[in-house]
Amino acid sequence: MDVKAFWRDVLSQNGEALQAYFCKDAVIRWHCTNEKFSVQEYIKVNCDYPGEWDGEIERIEKAGETFITAVRVFPKDKSASFHAVSFIKFKDNLISELDEYWADDGEVPEWRLNMKIGAAIR
């Protein structure tokens, strides 16, 4: 499976193309909001999410039959930024389970700035 193509279709909200990546009975979990979706529900929520999106894959790792991706996602106007870490499990070269953890990117909290430790990543 082409994980980069999958993410291109997720980011472009290409519902028709997304169908082809999943087993019919695949399960998608968004752990940060305690939600579980069927394939059709996942495609609907992804494609109906407001706005136009873009992003960049920062990292792809493979562990057995599971791909792990870290992706920075942002609206095309770059008014916000998020990171998604996804564990993508396959069966017969199709996604059978997708576990995702989403986080808002933000500023360093004041209490850590006051510690005067750490450095910016980029």
Side-chain angles (χ1 to χ4, degrees), residues 108-119:
V108 178
E110 187 69 32
W111 69 270
R112 276 205 311 272
L113 287 172
N114 291 337
M115 294 176 81
K116 299 184 187 321
I117 60 173

Side-chain angles (χ1 to χ4, degrees), residues 1 3 61-68 87-97:
M1 166 151 153
V3 175
E61 298 290 334
K62 189 169 188 300
E65 294 298 311
T66 302
F67 277 91
I68 304 158
F87 293 81
I88 308 168
K89 187 174 180 181
F90 295 93
K91 180 180 176 185
D92 299 326
N93 208 34
L94 295 172
I95 297 171
S96 60
E97 294 181 44

Side-chain angles (χ1 to χ4, degrees), residues 28-83:
I28 297 91
R29 299 175 197 92
W30 286 357
H31 292 271
C32 296
T33 51
N34 193 30
E35 295 174 276
K36 179 172 74 170
F37 301 104
S38 68
V39 174
Q40 293 308 316
E41 291 170 331
Y42 170 78
I43 291 171
K44 179 170 180 46
V45 76
N46 185 73
C47 293
D48 289 353
Y49 200 92
E52 293 184 328
W53 296 89
D54 203 353
E56 57 194 16
I57 296 172
E58 293 184 343
R59 186 170 178 172
I60 299 174
E61 298 290 334
K62 189 169 188 300
E65 294 298 311
T66 302
F67 277 91
I68 304 158
T69 64
V71 179
R72 182 172 166 253
V73 178
F74 44 87
K76 286 193 175 183
D77 69 5
K78 300 203 175 165
S79 60
S81 180
F82 310 91
H83 272 84

